[in-house]
Amino acid sequence: MAKTYSIAIDGPAGAGKSTIAKRLARELGYYYVDTGAIYRTVAYFLDLLGVSPKDVDGVERYIDELTIDIYYDEDGLQHMIMNGMDVTNEIRTQDISQKASLVSAHVCVREMLLDMQRELARDNNVIMDGRDIGSVVLPKADVKIFLTASAEVRAQRRTDEMLAKGQKANFQQTLKDIQQRDYQDTHRPIAPLKMCRDSVKVDSSDMDIEQVIAEIKAIVGKKITV
Ligand code: DC
């Protein structure tokens, strides 16, 4: 079987990982794997059942009843299928963001999702984004990037994005949500968000999207002949 390539992009919420990874995946002809969407699907499933994301016994009791399938449409959009139902849009709320962060701290959840993520990378060239891709999921990834920005810049970008979509948004509340998620994602005992020693850090606080893409393409180009 031909070698497949993998690019890991980790970083905190709102750093622009998905925007960058999607663009790059399209240009390189790789699959873009959004691993946050998989954790969001778990959170959404438990939420429908009324199980608190902090309730480890409840999570353990119901997790086996969840089947997750992923498929990519012709535009490369990753669809999340929860027990046969497409929940791609439903998992994108602020409430589910917080619950996904809490639910992702449980061992049973991380174990369940690990093989699924590795299989996707075994069979395809992938750009995978998340929190623990370089450190746990794909420790041998060909390229590892840690994409970050200050919490204020991330909150401002999120606020602008929501306003542009015609949604209500409040900068202070968004900043609080981002800081809370940063804390949870970096302080959990299993697979916390952290920069690996062999990651290249890109701080996008003072960069626009085109500059970030150019920088990441240059990093990728040094490691993978594209
Ligand atoms: O990338 P996102 O904002 O959609 O992720 C939602 C939550 O899922 C995030 O706050 C933590 C969790 N997550 C994780 O623990 N590990 C990953 N590889 C991806 C996401």
Coordinates of all heavy atoms in Angstrom, one line a residue, residues 119-194:
E119 N -7.8 5.2 12.1 CA -8.2 4.5 10.9 C -8.3 5.5 9.7 O -7.9 5.2 8.6 CB -9.5 3.8 11.0 CG -9.3 2.3 11.4 CD -10.6 1.7 11.8 OE1 -11.6 2.0 11.2 OE2 -10.6 1.0 12.8
L120 N -8.9 6.7 10.0 CA -9.0 7.7 8.9 C -7.7 8.1 8.4 O -7.5 8.2 7.2 CB -9.7 8.9 9.4 CG -11.2 8.8 9.7 CD1 -11.7 9.9 10.6 CD2 -12.0 8.7 8.4
A121 N -6.7 8.2 9.2 CA -5.4 8.6 8.8 C -4.6 7.4 8.2 O -3.6 7.7 7.4 CB -4.6 9.2 10.0
R122 N -4.9 6.2 8.5 CA -4.2 5.1 8.0 C -4.5 4.9 6.5 O -3.7 4.6 5.7 CB -4.6 3.8 8.7 CG -3.6 2.7 8.5 CD -4.0 1.5 9.3 NE -5.4 1.1 9.0 CZ -6.2 0.7 9.9 NH1 -5.8 0.5 11.2 NH2 -7.5 0.4 9.6
D123 N -5.8 5.2 6.1 CA -6.2 4.9 4.8 C -6.2 6.1 3.8 O -6.4 5.9 2.6 CB -7.7 4.4 4.8 CG -7.8 3.1 5.7 OD1 -6.8 2.4 5.8 OD2 -8.9 2.9 6.2
N124 N -6.0 7.3 4.4 CA -6.0 8.5 3.5 C -4.9 9.5 3.9 O -4.4 9.5 5.0 CB -7.4 9.2 3.8 CG -8.6 8.3 3.6 OD1 -8.9 7.9 2.5 ND2 -9.2 7.9 4.8
N125 N -4.6 10.4 2.9 CA -3.8 11.5 3.3 C -4.7 12.5 4.0 O -5.8 12.8 3.5 CB -3.3 12.3 2.0 CG -2.3 11.4 1.2 OD1 -1.5 10.7 1.8 ND2 -2.3 11.5 -0.1
V126 N -4.3 12.9 5.2 CA -5.2 13.7 6.0 C -4.5 15.0 6.6 O -3.3 15.0 6.9 CB -5.8 13.0 7.2 CG1 -6.8 11.9 6.8 CG2 -4.8 12.4 8.2
I127 N -5.4 16.0 6.8 CA -5.0 17.1 7.6 C -6.0 17.0 8.8 O -7.2 17.0 8.5 CB -5.2 18.5 7.0 CG1 -4.3 18.5 5.8 CG2 -4.9 19.6 8.0 CD1 -4.2 19.9 5.1
M128 N -5.5 16.7 10.0 CA -6.4 16.4 11.1 C -6.3 17.6 12.1 O -5.1 17.9 12.5 CB -6.0 15.1 11.7 CG -7.1 14.5 12.5 SD -6.7 12.8 13.1 CE -7.3 11.8 11.8
D129 N -7.4 18.2 12.5 CA -7.2 19.2 13.6 C -7.9 18.8 14.9 O -8.8 18.0 14.9 CB -7.6 20.6 13.1 CG -9.1 20.9 13.2 OD1 -9.8 20.1 13.8 OD2 -9.5 21.9 12.6
G130 N -7.3 19.3 16.0 CA -7.9 18.9 17.3 C -7.0 19.5 18.4 O -6.6 20.6 18.3
R131 N -6.9 18.7 19.5 CA -6.2 19.1 20.6 C -5.0 18.2 20.9 O -4.0 18.6 21.4 CB -7.0 19.1 21.9 CG -8.3 20.0 21.8 CD -8.0 21.5 21.7 NE -9.2 22.3 21.7 CZ -10.1 22.4 20.8 NH1 -9.9 21.8 19.6 NH2 -11.1 23.2 20.9
D132 N -5.1 16.9 20.5 CA -4.1 15.9 20.9 C -3.7 15.1 19.7 O -3.3 13.9 19.8 CB -4.7 14.9 21.9 CG -5.9 14.1 21.4 OD1 -6.6 14.6 20.4 OD2 -6.2 13.0 21.8
I133 N -3.8 15.7 18.5 CA -3.5 14.9 17.3 C -2.0 14.6 17.2 O -1.6 13.4 17.1 CB -3.9 15.7 16.0 CG1 -5.4 16.1 16.1 CG2 -3.7 14.8 14.8 CD1 -6.4 15.0 16.5
G134 N -1.2 15.6 17.4 CA 0.3 15.4 17.4 C 0.8 14.6 18.6 O 1.8 13.9 18.5
S135 N 0.2 14.8 19.7 CA 0.7 14.2 20.9 C 0.2 12.7 21.1 O 0.9 11.9 21.6 CB 0.3 15.0 22.2 OG -1.1 15.2 22.2
V136 N -1.1 12.4 20.7 CA -1.6 11.1 21.0 C -2.1 10.4 19.8 O -1.8 9.2 19.6 CB -2.8 11.2 22.1 CG1 -3.5 9.9 22.3 CG2 -2.3 11.9 23.4
V137 N -3.0 11.0 19.0 CA -3.6 10.3 17.9 C -2.6 9.9 16.8 O -2.6 8.8 16.4 CB -4.8 11.2 17.3 CG1 -5.5 10.4 16.2 CG2 -5.8 11.5 18.4
L138 N -1.8 10.9 16.4 CA -0.9 10.6 15.3 C 0.5 11.1 15.7 O 1.1 12.1 15.1 CB -1.3 11.3 14.0 CG -2.7 11.1 13.5 CD1 -3.0 12.0 12.3 CD2 -2.9 9.6 13.1
P139 N 1.1 10.4 16.7 CA 2.4 10.9 17.1 C 3.5 10.9 16.1 O 4.5 11.5 16.2 CB 2.8 10.0 18.3 CG 1.9 8.8 18.2 CD 0.6 9.2 17.4
K140 N 3.2 10.1 15.0 CA 4.2 10.0 13.9 C 3.8 10.9 12.7 O 4.3 10.6 11.6 CB 4.4 8.6 13.5 CG 5.1 7.8 14.5 CD 5.5 6.4 14.0 CE 6.2 5.6 15.1 NZ 6.1 4.2 14.9
A141 N 2.9 11.8 12.9 CA 2.5 12.7 11.8 C 3.7 13.3 11.1 O 4.7 13.6 11.7 CB 1.6 13.8 12.3
D142 N 3.5 13.4 9.7 CA 4.7 14.0 9.0 C 4.9 15.4 9.3 O 6.1 15.9 9.3 CB 4.3 13.8 7.5 CG 4.2 12.4 7.1 OD1 5.2 11.7 6.9 OD2 3.0 11.9 7.0
V143 N 3.9 16.2 9.6 CA 4.0 17.6 10.0 C 3.1 17.8 11.2 O 2.0 17.4 11.2 CB 3.5 18.5 8.9 CG1 3.8 20.0 9.3 CG2 4.2 18.2 7.5
K144 N 3.7 18.5 12.2 CA 2.8 18.9 13.4 C 2.9 20.4 13.6 O 4.0 21.0 13.7 CB 3.4 18.2 14.6 CG 3.3 16.7 14.6 CD 3.8 16.2 16.0 CE 3.9 14.7 15.9 NZ 4.4 14.1 17.2
I145 N 1.7 21.0 13.6 CA 1.6 22.4 13.8 C 0.8 22.7 15.0 O -0.2 22.1 15.3 CB 1.0 23.1 12.5 CG1 2.1 23.0 11.4 CG2 0.6 24.5 12.8 CD1 1.5 23.2 10.0
F146 N 1.3 23.7 15.8 CA 0.5 24.2 16.9 C 0.0 25.6 16.6 O 0.9 26.5 16.6 CB 1.3 24.2 18.2 CG 0.5 24.4 19.4 CD1 -0.2 23.3 20.0 CD2 0.4 25.6 20.0 CE1 -0.9 23.5 21.2 CE2 -0.3 25.8 21.2 CZ -1.0 24.8 21.8
L147 N -1.2 25.7 16.3 CA -1.8 27.0 15.8 C -2.5 27.7 17.0 O -3.4 27.2 17.6 CB -2.7 26.8 14.7 CG -3.4 28.1 14.1 CD1 -2.3 29.0 13.5 CD2 -4.4 27.7 13.0
T148 N -2.0 28.9 17.3 CA -2.6 29.6 18.5 C -2.8 31.1 18.2 O -2.3 31.6 17.1 CB -1.7 29.3 19.7 OG1 -2.5 29.8 20.9 CG2 -0.4 30.0 19.7
A149 N -3.4 31.8 19.1 CA -3.6 33.2 19.1 C -4.0 33.6 20.5 O -4.5 32.8 21.2 CB -4.6 33.6 18.0
S150 N -3.9 34.9 20.8 CA -4.3 35.3 22.1 C -5.8 35.1 22.3 O -6.5 35.1 21.3 CB -4.0 36.8 22.4 OG -4.9 37.6 21.6
A151 N -6.2 34.9 23.6 CA -7.6 34.6 23.8 C -8.5 35.8 23.3 O -9.6 35.6 22.8 CB -7.8 34.4 25.3
E152 N -8.0 37.0 23.5 CA -8.7 38.2 23.1 C -8.9 38.2 21.5 O -10.0 38.5 21.0 CB -8.0 39.5 23.5 CG -8.1 39.8 25.0 CD -7.2 38.9 25.8 OE1 -6.3 38.2 25.2 OE2 -7.4 38.9 27.0
V153 N -7.9 37.9 20.8 CA -8.0 37.9 19.3 C -8.9 36.8 18.9 O -9.8 37.0 18.0 CB -6.6 37.7 18.7 CG1 -6.7 37.3 17.2 CG2 -5.8 38.9 18.9
R154 N -8.9 35.6 19.5 CA -9.7 34.5 19.2 C -11.2 34.9 19.5 O -12.1 34.6 18.7 CB -9.3 33.2 19.9 CG -8.0 32.6 19.3 CD -7.7 31.3 20.0 NE -7.0 31.5 21.3 CZ -7.4 30.9 22.5 NH1 -8.3 30.0 22.4 NH2 -6.7 31.1 23.6
A155 N -11.4 35.5 20.6 CA -12.8 35.9 21.0 C -13.3 36.9 20.0 O -14.5 36.9 19.6 CB -12.8 36.4 22.4
Q156 N -12.5 37.9 19.6 CA -12.9 38.9 18.7 C -13.3 38.3 17.3 O -14.3 38.6 16.7 CB -11.8 40.0 18.5 CG -12.3 41.2 17.7 CD -13.4 41.9 18.4 OE1 -13.3 42.3 19.6 NE2 -14.6 42.0 17.8
R157 N -12.4 37.3 16.8 CA -12.7 36.7 15.6 C -14.1 35.9 15.6 O -14.9 36.0 14.7 CB -11.6 35.7 15.2 CG -10.3 36.4 14.7 CD -9.3 35.3 14.4 NE -8.0 35.9 14.2 CZ -6.9 35.2 14.3 NH1 -6.9 33.9 14.7 NH2 -5.7 35.8 14.1
R158 N -14.3 35.2 16.7 CA -15.5 34.4 16.9 C -16.7 35.4 16.9 O -17.7 35.1 16.3 CB -15.5 33.7 18.3 CG -15.2 32.3 18.3 CD -16.3 31.4 17.7 NE -15.6 30.4 16.8 CZ -15.2 29.2 17.3 NH1 -15.4 28.9 18.5 NH2 -14.6 28.4 16.5
T159 N -16.6 36.5 17.7 CA -17.7 37.4 17.8 C -18.0 38.0 16.4 O -19.2 38.0 15.9 CB -17.3 38.6 18.7 OG1 -16.8 38.0 19.9 CG2 -18.5 39.5 19.0
D160 N -17.0 38.4 15.6 CA -17.2 38.9 14.3 C -17.9 37.9 13.3 O -18.8 38.2 12.6 CB -15.9 39.4 13.6 CG -15.2 40.5 14.4 OD1 -15.9 41.2 15.2 OD2 -14.0 40.8 14.2
E161 N -17.4 36.6 13.5 CA -18.0 35.6 12.6 C -19.4 35.4 12.9 O -20.2 35.3 12.0 CB -17.3 34.2 13.1 CG -16.4 33.5 12.1 CD -15.7 32.4 12.8 OE1 -16.4 31.5 13.4 OE2 -14.5 32.4 12.8
M162 N -19.8 35.4 14.2 CA -21.2 35.2 14.6 C -22.1 36.4 14.1 O -23.2 36.2 13.5 CB -21.4 35.0 16.1 CG -20.8 33.6 16.5 SD -20.6 33.5 18.2 CE -22.2 33.3 18.8
L163 N -21.5 37.6 14.3 CA -22.3 38.8 13.8 C -22.5 38.7 12.3 O -23.6 39.0 11.8 CB -21.5 40.0 14.3 CG -21.5 40.3 15.8 CD1 -20.6 41.5 16.1 CD2 -22.9 40.5 16.3
A164 N -21.4 38.3 11.6 CA -21.5 38.2 10.1 C -22.6 37.2 9.7 O -23.2 37.4 8.6 CB -20.2 37.9 9.5
K165 N -22.8 36.2 10.5 CA -23.8 35.2 10.2 C -25.2 35.7 10.6 O -26.2 34.9 10.5 CB -23.5 33.9 10.9 CG -22.4 33.1 10.2 CD -22.4 31.7 10.8 CE -21.0 31.1 10.7 NZ -20.7 30.1 11.7
G166 N -25.3 36.9 11.2 CA -26.6 37.4 11.6 C -27.0 36.9 13.0 O -28.1 37.0 13.4
Q167 N -26.0 36.2 13.7 CA -26.3 35.7 15.0 C -26.0 36.7 16.1 O -25.2 37.6 15.9 CB -25.5 34.4 15.3 CG -25.8 33.3 14.4 CD -24.8 32.2 14.4 OE1 -23.7 32.3 15.0 NE2 -25.1 31.1 13.8
K168 N -26.6 36.5 17.3 CA -26.3 37.5 18.4 C -24.9 37.1 18.9 O -24.5 35.9 19.0 CB -27.3 37.3 19.5 CG -28.5 38.0 19.4 CD -29.2 38.2 20.7 CE -30.7 38.3 20.5 NZ -31.5 37.4 21.4
A169 N -24.1 38.1 19.3 CA -22.8 37.8 19.8 C -22.3 38.9 20.8 O -22.6 40.1 20.6 CB -21.8 37.7 18.7
N170 N -21.7 38.5 21.8 CA -21.2 39.4 22.8 C -19.7 39.1 23.1 O -19.4 38.0 23.5 CB -22.1 39.3 24.1 CG -21.6 40.1 25.3 OD1 -20.5 39.7 25.8 ND2 -22.3 41.1 25.6
F171 N -18.8 40.1 22.9 CA -17.4 39.8 23.0 C -17.0 39.3 24.4 O -16.3 38.3 24.5 CB -16.6 41.1 22.7 CG -15.1 41.0 23.0 CD1 -14.3 40.3 22.1 CD2 -14.6 41.5 24.2 CE1 -13.0 40.1 22.4 CE2 -13.3 41.3 24.5 CZ -12.4 40.6 23.6
Q172 N -17.5 40.0 25.4 CA -17.1 39.6 26.8 C -17.5 38.1 27.1 O -16.8 37.3 27.7 CB -17.7 40.5 27.9 CG -17.1 41.9 27.9 CD -15.6 41.8 28.2 OE1 -15.0 40.8 28.7 NE2 -14.8 42.8 27.7
Q173 N -18.8 37.8 26.7 CA -19.2 36.4 26.9 C -18.4 35.4 26.1 O -18.0 34.3 26.6 CB -20.7 36.3 26.6 CG -21.4 34.9 26.9 CD -21.2 34.6 28.3 OE1 -21.5 35.4 29.2 NE2 -20.8 33.3 28.6
T174 N -18.1 35.7 24.9 CA -17.3 34.8 24.0 C -16.0 34.6 24.6 O -15.4 33.5 24.6 CB -17.2 35.4 22.6 OG1 -18.6 35.7 22.1 CG2 -16.6 34.5 21.6
L175 N -15.4 35.7 25.1 CA -14.0 35.6 25.7 C -14.1 34.7 26.9 O -13.2 33.8 27.1 CB -13.6 37.0 26.1 CG -12.2 37.1 26.8 CD1 -11.1 36.6 25.9 CD2 -11.8 38.5 27.2
K176 N -15.1 34.9 27.7 CA -15.3 34.0 28.9 C -15.4 32.5 28.5 O -14.7 31.7 29.1 CB -16.5 34.4 29.7 CG -16.2 34.7 31.2 CD -17.4 35.2 31.9 CE -18.2 34.1 32.5 NZ -19.5 34.5 33.0
D177 N -16.2 32.3 27.5 CA -16.4 30.9 27.0 C -15.1 30.3 26.5 O -14.7 29.1 26.8 CB -17.4 30.8 25.9 CG -18.8 31.1 26.3 OD1 -19.1 31.0 27.5 OD2 -19.7 31.4 25.5
I178 N -14.3 31.1 25.8 CA -13.1 30.6 25.2 C -12.1 30.3 26.4 O -11.4 29.3 26.4 CB -12.5 31.7 24.2 CG1 -13.2 31.4 22.9 CG2 -11.0 31.6 24.1 CD1 -12.7 32.1 21.7
Q179 N -12.0 31.2 27.3 CA -11.1 31.0 28.5 C -11.4 29.8 29.3 O -10.6 29.0 29.7 CB -11.0 32.3 29.3 CG -10.3 33.4 28.7 CD -10.5 34.8 29.4 OE1 -11.5 35.0 30.0 NE2 -9.5 35.6 29.3
Q180 N -12.7 29.6 29.4 CA -13.2 28.4 30.2 C -12.8 27.1 29.4 O -12.3 26.2 30.0 CB -14.7 28.5 30.4 CG -15.2 27.4 31.4 CD -16.7 27.5 31.6 OE1 -17.3 28.5 31.3 NE2 -17.2 26.4 32.0
R181 N -13.0 27.1 28.1 CA -12.7 26.0 27.3 C -11.2 25.7 27.3 O -10.7 24.6 27.4 CB -13.2 26.1 25.9 CG -13.9 24.9 25.5 CD -15.1 25.0 24.6 NE -15.1 25.8 23.4 CZ -14.8 25.3 22.2 NH1 -14.5 24.0 22.0 NH2 -14.9 26.1 21.2
D182 N -10.4 26.8 27.2 CA -8.9 26.7 27.2 C -8.5 26.0 28.5 O -7.7 25.1 28.5 CB -8.3 28.1 27.2 CG -8.3 28.7 25.8 OD1 -8.7 28.1 24.9 OD2 -7.8 29.9 25.8
Y183 N -9.1 26.5 29.6 CA -8.7 25.9 30.9 C -9.1 24.4 31.0 O -8.2 23.6 31.3 CB -9.4 26.7 32.1 CG -9.0 26.2 33.4 CD1 -7.8 26.7 34.0 CD2 -9.6 25.1 34.1 CE1 -7.3 26.2 35.2 CE2 -9.1 24.6 35.3 CZ -8.0 25.2 35.8 OH -7.5 24.6 37.0
Q184 N -10.3 24.1 30.6 CA -10.7 22.6 30.6 C -9.8 21.8 29.7 O -9.4 20.7 30.1 CB -12.2 22.5 30.2 CG -13.2 23.0 31.2 CD -14.6 23.3 30.7 OE1 -15.4 23.8 31.4 NE2 -14.9 22.9 29.4
D185 N -9.6 22.3 28.5 CA -8.9 21.5 27.5 C -7.4 21.3 27.9 O -6.8 20.3 27.5 CB -9.0 22.1 26.1 CG -10.5 22.0 25.6 OD1 -11.3 21.3 26.2 OD2 -10.8 22.7 24.6
T186 N -6.8 22.3 28.6 CA -5.4 22.1 29.0 C -5.2 21.5 30.3 O -4.1 21.0 30.6 CB -4.7 23.5 29.0 OG1 -5.5 24.4 29.8 CG2 -4.6 24.1 27.6
H187 N -6.2 21.4 31.2 CA -6.0 20.9 32.5 C -6.5 19.5 32.7 O -6.4 19.0 33.8 CB -6.6 21.8 33.6 CG -5.8 23.1 33.7 ND1 -5.8 24.1 32.9 CD2 -4.9 23.4 34.7 CE1 -5.0 25.0 33.3 NE2 -4.4 24.6 34.4
R188 N -7.2 18.9 31.7 CA -7.7 17.5 32.0 C -6.5 16.6 32.1 O -5.4 16.8 31.4 CB -8.6 17.1 30.9 CG -8.0 17.0 29.5 CD -8.9 16.5 28.4 NE -8.3 16.5 27.2 CZ -8.7 17.0 26.0 NH1 -9.9 17.7 26.0 NH2 -8.0 16.9 24.9
P189 N -6.6 15.5 32.8 CA -5.5 14.6 33.0 C -5.2 13.8 31.8 O -4.0 13.4 31.6 CB -5.9 13.6 34.2 CG -7.3 14.0 34.6 CD -7.8 15.2 33.7
I190 N -6.1 13.4 30.9 CA -5.8 12.6 29.8 C -5.8 13.5 28.5 O -6.7 14.2 28.2 CB -6.9 11.5 29.5 CG1 -7.6 11.1 30.8 CG2 -6.3 10.3 28.7 CD1 -9.0 10.8 30.5
A191 N -4.7 13.3 27.7 CA -4.5 13.9 26.4 C -4.9 15.4 26.5 O -5.7 15.9 25.7 CB -5.4 13.2 25.4
P192 N -4.3 16.2 27.4 CA -4.6 17.6 27.4 C -4.0 18.3 26.2 O -3.1 17.8 25.6 CB -4.0 18.1 28.7 CG -2.8 17.2 28.9 CD -3.3 15.8 28.4
L193 N -4.6 19.5 25.9 CA -4.0 20.3 24.8 C -2.7 20.8 25.3 O -2.5 21.4 26.3 CB -5.0 21.5 24.6 CG -4.4 22.6 23.7 CD1 -4.1 22.1 22.3 CD2 -5.3 23.8 23.7
K194 N -1.6 20.4 24.5 CA -0.3 21.0 24.8 C 0.5 20.9 23.5 O 0.2 20.1 22.6 CB 0.4 20.2 25.9 CG 0.7 18.8 25.7 CD 1.7 18.3 26.7 CE 2.2 16.9 26.3 NZ 1.8 15.8 27.0

